[in-house]
Amino acid sequence: MSLLEVKDLYSGYGKVEVLFGVSFKIEPGKSLGIVGPNGVGKSTLLKTIVGEISPKSGSISLNGIDVLGKGPEDIVRLGLCLVPEGRQIFGGLSVTENLQLGLTGRKDKSTSKKALDKVKEIFPVLTSHAKHQAGMLSGGQQQQLAIARALIADPKILLLDEPSLGLSPTVIKDVFDQLKSIISNGTSVVIVEQRAHLVTSFADETLIMRNGKIQARITPEDAKDELKLKHAYFGSDN
Amino acid sequence: MEKIKNISGITRFSFIELFGPILIITAASCLIGFSSASLMLTVQFALCYFVMVLALQVFVGNSGVLSFGHGAFAMLGAFVSGLLTAPVRIKNNALSMTDLLQSIADIQVNLYLSLLIAAIVGGVVAGITGVFLMRLNGLAAGIATFALLGVAYNFFFNNTKFGPGSQALPGVPKFQNLFIPLLLALVALVLVYLLNVSSIGRTLRATREDNLAAPALGINIIRVRRIAFALSGALAGLAGAMYSHVAGTVQVQDYYLGFTFLTLSMLVIGGSGSIWGALVGTLLVISVGQVLLMMEQGKAIFGLSIDLPNGARAIFIAATLVVALLWRSSGVTNGKEFAFPNFKKKSN
C-alpha cells in the first residue's frame, strides 16, 4: 500500500477544468517532484490533495484512507501537510508562535516540546529569531519557518509548493539540503516547482505536467539527458 | 513564571504586559474615583465600558471579524441581572411592569450571583448564535451581527413580558463603592490577557492574519471563532450587568447603537490587537468625552469656561475615530501590549 495514492483525478475551479486524469503514488521516505510551466495545474493538484478544492472525480488515499471530502484541517491530522506557495507565514506573530501553531495539527501533543526542539535543530536560524516577528525575517528564513511549522505537525508526507520562489541560489541550496535531512528521517516529500533542474536531480522521481495531465515521469538518471528533459518539459515540438 | 507558561499552550506571558495595565487602571480609578461622588460614578461607568471593550477585543481584536452584535449580549446581561436583583415589591407594583411574567417578578437573587448568571447567559446565547454567525466573514459577518443587535433591541423594546419594554426598569441595586466594579474589571482583564496568550488567542490571531493558511495547519476556523465569540459574549453580558448596577436602572436604548459604536470606537482608537489598546482607548474616549461634556454643560475647567453646542462630544469622538484610522489604522498603541519605554540609546 502506497503512502499517498492519487488515481484518475479531475479537478478545477467551478466550470473551469484544470486537471484531467492525474494519477501517481508515493512510498514512505521517498521524494517526488512535480514540474511544469506556469498554469499547467501544479498548484491546483496540491490544493485538491489537501482538501482546499473538491475534485470532480477520481480518488485520493492516504495510507489507504480515502481523504476525498475531508476538510484541510482533517487532512493535516491524517499526516499530510502543505507548505503553500508564498509561504503564508503569520507575519504579525512571533517565530515561536508560528511554530506553535504547527502543533494544532499534531495528533500526539505529549511530544510537542520534543518536536519543537527537533525542528529548531534542523533549522538553527529559527532559535536565534524565536522572539522576532515572523514578517521581519528574510525570504529564506520565512521559507525555513514555513517548512519547520509544517514539520511540527509530524506529517507522514510534506507537500511544498514552489519552495524556491524568491530565494537566492545559496538559500535554495540550504533549503534543499534541509529537505534531504527531512526525507532521511522518514518523511516523504512532494515538491512542486517551475524550475525543473532543481527537482529532477533531487527527487527519486519527477512528474512533468502539461495541460493538466502528467506527460512524463523521469528519474534523476533521465534528467542528465538535457534534450530528453527539454522535450518532456516543453513537448516534443520544441 | 515557568508554571504559568506550562498552562496549556501559554508561551507569551509577561508580567509587565499584565501588571502594567492592572497598576494603571487601579491607580487611575482610585485617584479619580475618590476625588468626588460624581467622578466616582464616571469611573464606575468607565470600568463597565472597559469590560465591554475587553469583550470586543477578545473576539473582534483577535479574529479581525467585525461584530456589531455584542451590544445584544450586554443588553441581555443587563436585563438578566436587573430583573434578578430588582426588589419583588417594585417588579409587582411598577406601572411599567404590569405585564411582566410572574415567575420573573417573584424571583430575587443577590448582586454577585446575578452578575455570574448574566455572564453565563451572555456566553450561552453567544455560543448558540455563534454556531450560525461564525460561518460568515467580512461584510456579511458585520451585517449579520448588526441584525442580531436589532433583533435583541426590538425584542426587549416591544416585549413587556420579559422587561419594562420601552420604559426603564426601576430599583436595580447600585454598586455601593468603587471596589466591586474595579475588581470585576481587573478579573476580566486578567482572564482576557491569559486567553490572548493561550493557544486559543494565538490560533484566533492566526485566522485573522491569513484565513486560508490557517486550515492548512489543522486549525478549524469556525470552531475557534465560536469559542472566542461565546467567551466574549459572556464578558459582554457581564459588562451590561455591571452597567445596569452603576446606572441603577435598565433601559434598552442604553445598549443599542450609541453603546455599540462608542465601545467599538474605544477599541479601534486604542488598538484592537491588545488589552493595552483596549485600556488606552477607553481612557482616551472617556476622559476626552468627559471634558467635552463639561464644556457642553457650560462648566468651567481649570477656571476656563468654553461653551460647546450639544452634540459636540459625539462629533469629536467620531472625528477622532476617523483621524485615528487615517493616522494609525492599528490604533494609538499599534495593537501592542504594555511595555516600559526604552530610553536606552541604540548602539551602532
Side-chain angles (χ1 to χ4, degrees):
Chain A
M1 184 172 57
S2 301
L3 181 58
L4 175 69
E5 186 164 7
V6 175
K7 260 190 202 166
D8 206 22
L9 194 69
Y10 285 78
S11 184
Y13 306 89
K15 287 181 179 173
V16 181
E17 295 203 8
V18 179
L19 300 179
F20 303 93
V22 173
S23 299
F24 69 87
K25 52 175 85 167
I26 180 167
E27 306 302 327
K30 296 285 179 188
S31 56
L32 178 78
I34 301 174
V35 298
N38 210 2
V40 297
K42 304 186 298 293
S43 296
T44 307
L45 175 60
L46 290 193
K47 283 178 183 171
T48 310
I49 294 171
V50 299
E52 281 182 28
I53 300 173
S54 300
K56 314 273 183 219
S57 64
S59 72
I60 304 167
S61 62
L62 186 65
N63 253 342
I65 301 167
D66 185 7
V67 298
L68 274 193
K70 292 189 191 299
E73 60 273 17
D74 301 319
I75 291 175
V76 171
R77 288 191 174 82
L78 289 172
L80 197 149
C81 273
L82 171 70
V83 179
E85 186 181 346
R87 296 137 208 162
Q88 293 188 341
I89 56 149
F90 302 106
L93 306 188
S94 71
V95 168
T96 304
E97 285 179 309
N98 266 274
L99 291 174
Q100 282 166 336
L101 284 165
L103 294 171
T104 318
R106 193 178 171 85
K107 266 188 178 172
D108 182 10
K109 306 274 187 201
S110 64
T111 51
S112 298
K113 194 181 175 305
K114 218 173 165 183
L116 283 165
D117 291 342
K118 195 177 167 189
V119 294
K120 283 177 182 171
E121 207 174 281
I122 301 173
F123 303 99
V125 70
L126 299 180
T127 309
S128 50
H129 291 87
K131 288 185 176 174
H132 294 174
Q133 261 196 342
M136 306 297 279
L137 299 180
S138 69
Q141 289 164 344
Q142 288 187 10
Q143 186 64 67
Q144 292 183 45
L145 174 59
I147 297 171
R149 193 181 60 183
L151 277 180
I152 283 175
D154 196 21
K156 296 182 182 78
I157 181 162
L158 190 64
L159 274 56
L160 298 108
D161 195 359
E162 307 272 4
S164 73
L165 198 73
L167 303 184
S168 69
T170 328
V171 178
I172 292 172
K173 189 186 171 301
D174 285 348
V175 170
F176 275 74
D177 284 346
Q178 282 148 352
L179 288 176
K180 270 182 196 160
S181 119
I182 291 164
I183 295 164
S184 67
N185 286 334
T187 307
S188 300
V189 169
V190 175
I191 306 171
V192 159
E193 267 291 349
Q194 275 192 62
R195 302 189 213 182
H197 67 280
L198 281 175
V199 177
T200 48
S201 55
F202 174 85
D204 296 314
E205 186 186 27
T206 301
L207 313 178
I208 296 184
M209 282 186 76
R210 273 202 322 273
N211 303 324
K213 294 175 185 172
I214 290 170
Q215 300 289 355
R217 294 167 189 264
I218 57 172
T219 62
E221 277 303 309
D222 298 332
K224 285 176 186 164
D225 184 341
E226 282 281 334
L227 195 65
K228 191 173 179 182
L229 179 61
K230 196 179 161 190
H231 281 173
Y233 195 86
F234 294 108
S236 51
D237 297 341
N238 291 281
Chain B
M1 178 76 101
E2 268 314 303
K3 275 185 183 173
I4 293 169
K5 285 192 172 182
N6 285 338
I7 300 169
S8 174
I10 290 180
T11 50
R12 220 188 46 154
F13 184 87
S14 151
F15 274 105
I16 304 271
E17 285 179 4
L18 180 58
F19 287 99
I22 286 179
L23 208 65
I24 289 168
I25 199 169
T26 308
S29 298
C30 293
L31 281 173
I32 302 166
F34 290 126
S35 56
S36 76
S38 70
L39 281 176
M40 180 180 284
L41 191 66
T42 304
V43 171
Q44 286 183 337
F45 273 120
L47 291 167
C48 302
Y49 280 122
F50 178 56
V51 175
M52 184 64 189
V53 179
L54 282 176
L56 291 168
Q57 199 280 324
V58 167
F59 180 72
V60 179
N62 285 331
S63 73
V65 177
L66 188 57
S67 169
F68 295 111
H70 278 66
F73 309 129
M75 202 183 283
L76 197 60
F79 272 91
V80 166
S81 195
L83 286 167
L84 285 176
T85 51
V88 173
R89 175 180 48 83
I90 290 180
K91 284 188 279 188
N92 278 312
N93 295 313
L95 284 174
S96 59
M97 315 278 274
T98 49
D99 291 342
L100 191 69
L101 288 178
Q102 203 54 45
S103 53
I104 297 174
D106 290 342
I107 196 168
Q108 191 178 357
V109 303
N110 76 47
L111 177 69
Y112 305 105
L113 182 60
S114 77
L115 289 167
L116 180 66
I117 295 172
I120 292 170
V121 170
V124 168
V125 173
I128 294 167
T129 52
V131 171
F132 310 101
L133 295 173
M134 293 305 101
R135 294 179 176 279
L136 304 170
N137 285 308
L139 192 60
I143 295 295
T145 51
F146 191 71
L148 178 70
L149 178 66
V151 168
Y153 175 77
N154 281 293
F155 175 80
F156 284 111
F157 190 84
N158 295 303
N159 198 320
T160 48
K161 283 189 165 52
F162 297 96
S166 59
Q167 306 294 305
L169 169 68
V172 177
K174 295 177 84 168
F175 289 130
Q176 294 303 310
N177 52 42
L178 194 60
F179 179 68
I180 299 167
L182 176 61
L183 187 69
L184 288 169
L186 293 179
V187 168
L189 187 147
V190 172
L191 288 176
V192 173
Y193 182 76
L194 291 178
L195 184 82
N196 283 357
V197 296
S198 73
S199 59
I200 294 176
R202 187 169 56 236
T203 314
L204 205 56
R205 286 199 302 281
T207 66
R208 177 193 66 194
E209 294 255 333
D210 193 332
N211 63 4
L212 290 176
L217 293 174
I219 295 169
N220 185 328
I221 294 182
I222 295 174
R223 184 174 160 271
V224 74
R225 278 185 186 167
R226 274 182 200 157
I227 294 170
F229 196 64
L231 292 171
S232 68
L235 274 175
L238 175 67
M242 285 170 67
Y243 195 98
S244 73
H245 294 293
V246 173
T249 181
V250 180
Q251 205 164 3
V252 66
Q253 293 91 330
D254 289 347
Y255 306 90
Y256 196 38
L257 296 178
F259 182 81
T260 298
F261 287 108
L262 184 66
T263 48
L264 276 172
S265 303
M266 289 170 175
L267 182 68
V268 173
I269 290 170
S272 65
S274 63
I275 58 165
W276 177 229
L279 177 58
V280 169
T282 310
L283 283 174
L284 272 176
V285 173
I286 291 283
S287 50
V288 172
Q290 195 61 25
V291 170
L292 291 168
L293 183 67
M294 289 168 80
M295 290 177 173
E296 277 182 13
Q297 292 168 344
K299 289 179 183 169
I301 300 160
F302 300 117
L304 191 70
S305 184
I306 304 168
D307 274 344
L308 286 177
N310 285 342
R313 186 168 63 131
I315 292 168
F316 184 86
I317 290 169
T320 308
L321 182 64
V322 174
V323 171
L325 286 170
L326 287 170
W327 168 58
R328 192 179 269 191
S329 58
S330 50
V332 175
T333 62
N334 207 12
K336 292 202 163 58
E337 290 296 358
F338 176 84
F340 287 117
N342 187 3
F343 296 115
K344 281 182 194 168
K345 282 184 183 173
K346 284 183 182 171
S347 55
N348 292 317

